Amino acid sequence: MREDRGDVEPAALTEEESLAGRQVALIDLLDRLLNGGAVLTGDLVLSVADVDLVRINLRAVIHSITPDDPAPW
Amino acid sequence: MNTGAEAPAAASAPDHRTDPAATMSYVYAVGRAGTALDTAADRLAGLEDGPLRTVTSEGLAALVSSVPAGAYGEAGIRARLEDLTELAALARTHHAVVEAAYAGTTVLPMRLATVYLDDARVRAMLEERDTDFTEALGWLEGHVELGVKVYADPREAAAAPPPVAEPPTAEGPAPAALSPGRAYLRQRRQERRHHRDAYRAAGGVAGAVPDRVAGLVRARVAHRPQQGELASAAGENIANEAYLVAVDRVEDFHRALAGLADGLPGVRVEITGPWAPYSFATVPTAGGRA
């Protein structure tokens, strides 16, 4: 799967293909990208994003999907 | 995101950086410098279809692409993150890069919208956090993240056939023999019972998950249960967790949780992933370890 360093097994290829074809649920993605990920300090831009992301997360998750703006997942 | 949104976004962003050609460095992930990361950078495109590159400092390398300063500066990124469509596009591109990089080598995923003024700032950050990053990469090496979500769905519980032909109760006679009023009350009581049972059973299942996988995981993180319009799955999400699992234990993990909700109508367990270890990159040096 992903531990491969040089030793590419058939499993590694299938895994990669399935990753490419797979559409993960946006909410699962946002759980990770907004609450997870390494947070780095010291940059002005980042600090803005960092503080806001939690709030944005809430807002985005609560945000209703209108019929003419269907969810892309 | 890369469909001509650039011009209006740049115009509406009253950034102090007014040069429309100015760019910033968007960081997707950090890993060990080497061919695996360079290869990933060569094969992939980043945001705005920009080419990826690695910015290295000693043994570490950041996976970076240039983004327009106007659209990704302070005001630009804020607007972008608050528009669900744009947020989705940004998240998916970020994720695609991290995912593809992680397929080749262990990387530490950055939080969404980690933007630096230029590559020199990225390099400085790598130098500054060298120890943390190296330790975190070592810790994550050979592991993936798996998500486990437990749902309670009382409607599903109600739709399921009653266990063992409806245990005889004080109600006595069969529904057909009841007066409309009593039949109604009886039905209401059943609904409430399904509701309570489903939540109770789901709570029990959620509580059992950590025990079932105890020997198989390196760490566990509880996310907020998913709610709102984006949480489109049937039922209510009552547990939303992430586990850090060695790659060769992933199958065991699935096996350990198989059948967990069997015989429990109204309870559903979902396993997502494998993911790059987003949920375990937050605190590189301490915490997060089960």
Side-chain angles (χ1 to χ4, degrees):
Chain A
M1 306 234 275
R2 276 132 160 190
E3 83 280 28
D4 48 290
R5 303 217 134 166
D7 57 332
V8 179
E9 305 153 12
L13 294 173
T14 345
E15 174 75 1
E16 215 163 322
E17 277 165 16
S18 74
L19 286 177
R22 191 182 62 182
Q23 178 85 314
V24 299
L26 182 62
I27 191 161
D28 288 333
L29 198 50
L30 293 181
D31 268 348
R32 287 167 172 79
L33 291 180
L34 297 176
N35 298 319
V39 180
L40 306 172
T41 51
D43 195 294
L44 173 76
V45 173
L46 177 76
S47 67
V48 169
D50 187 21
V51 169
D52 269 11
L53 284 177
V54 176
R55 189 161 52 82
I56 291 160
N57 186 15
L58 285 171
R59 195 179 306 167
V61 168
I62 291 163
H63 186 5
S64 65
I65 313 292
T66 57
D68 54 346
D69 178 24
W73 52 90
Chain B
M1 166 143 322
N2 37 30
T3 53
E6 216 172 301
S12 67
D15 235 21
H16 48 274
R17 308 169 68 83
T18 45
D19 178 3
T23 61
M24 300 174 105
S25 301
Y26 186 105
V27 185
Y28 301 85
V30 170
R32 296 195 187 84
T35 44
L37 214 53
D38 291 339
T39 307
D42 287 343
R43 279 180 24 210
L44 300 164
L47 293 164
E48 312 284 332
D49 277 332
L52 290 171
R53 61 180 180 277
T54 51
V55 173
T56 58
S57 163
E58 311 215 358
L60 293 174
L63 207 49
V64 171
S65 77
S66 293
V67 291
Y72 289 82
E74 201 169 313
I77 203 93
R78 189 190 295 266
R80 191 167 294 258
L81 291 172
E82 295 190 4
D83 179 307
L84 192 59
T85 312
E86 301 246 331
L87 175 62
L90 176 61
R92 291 208 182 278
T93 306
H94 184 106
H95 177 63
V97 172
V98 168
E99 191 89 323
Y102 206 72
T105 180
T106 303
V107 294
L108 200 59
M110 295 297 115
R111 180 164 290 195
L112 192 72
T114 301
V115 187
Y116 283 84
L117 298 177
D118 53 34
D119 284 3
R121 301 270 308 171
V122 175
R123 205 168 281 116
M125 173 274 291
L126 289 180
E127 266 172 43
E128 193 183 310
R129 303 294 299 274
D130 185 288
T131 318
D132 290 344
F133 284 152
T134 307
E135 190 190 321
L137 286 168
W139 189 61
L140 296 171
E141 179 89 59
H143 287 72
V144 292
E145 174 176 333
L146 293 173
V148 178
K149 294 186 286 180
V150 179
Y151 293 89
D153 190 350
R155 278 170 311 166
E156 192 196 312
V164 203
E166 197 63 23
T169 59
E171 259 82 19
L178 294 173
S179 69
R182 288 193 64 189
Y184 169 78
L185 287 174
R186 179 193 166 103
Q187 198 188 334
R188 289 285 301 145
R189 219 168 4 242
Q190 274 177 352
E191 272 174 22
R192 273 206 303 275
R193 197 177 64 224
H194 285 313
H195 195 264
R196 195 191 57 214
D197 288 354
Y199 278 82
R200 193 175 287 170
V205 166
V209 170
D211 293 339
R212 285 239 190 168
V213 300
L216 304 171
V217 304
R218 176 168 271 194
R220 165 182 180 261
V221 163
H223 287 297
R224 195 161 39 85
Q226 297 175 344
Q227 298 171 334
E229 292 294 326
L230 283 185
S232 53
E236 186 181 338
N237 181 219
I238 65 157
N240 181 17
E241 301 173 324
Y243 290 88
L244 187 64
V245 185
V247 169
D248 55 7
R249 310 303 289 275
V250 169
E251 276 177 40
D252 293 337
F253 185 93
H254 279 270
R255 221 171 290 134
L257 295 182
L260 192 54
D262 283 3
L264 297 171
V267 182
R268 206 172 67 255
V269 177
E270 262 179 35
I271 302 178
T272 63
W275 300 86
Y278 290 104
S279 304
F280 302 94
T282 29
V283 186
T285 47
R289 280 153 220 211

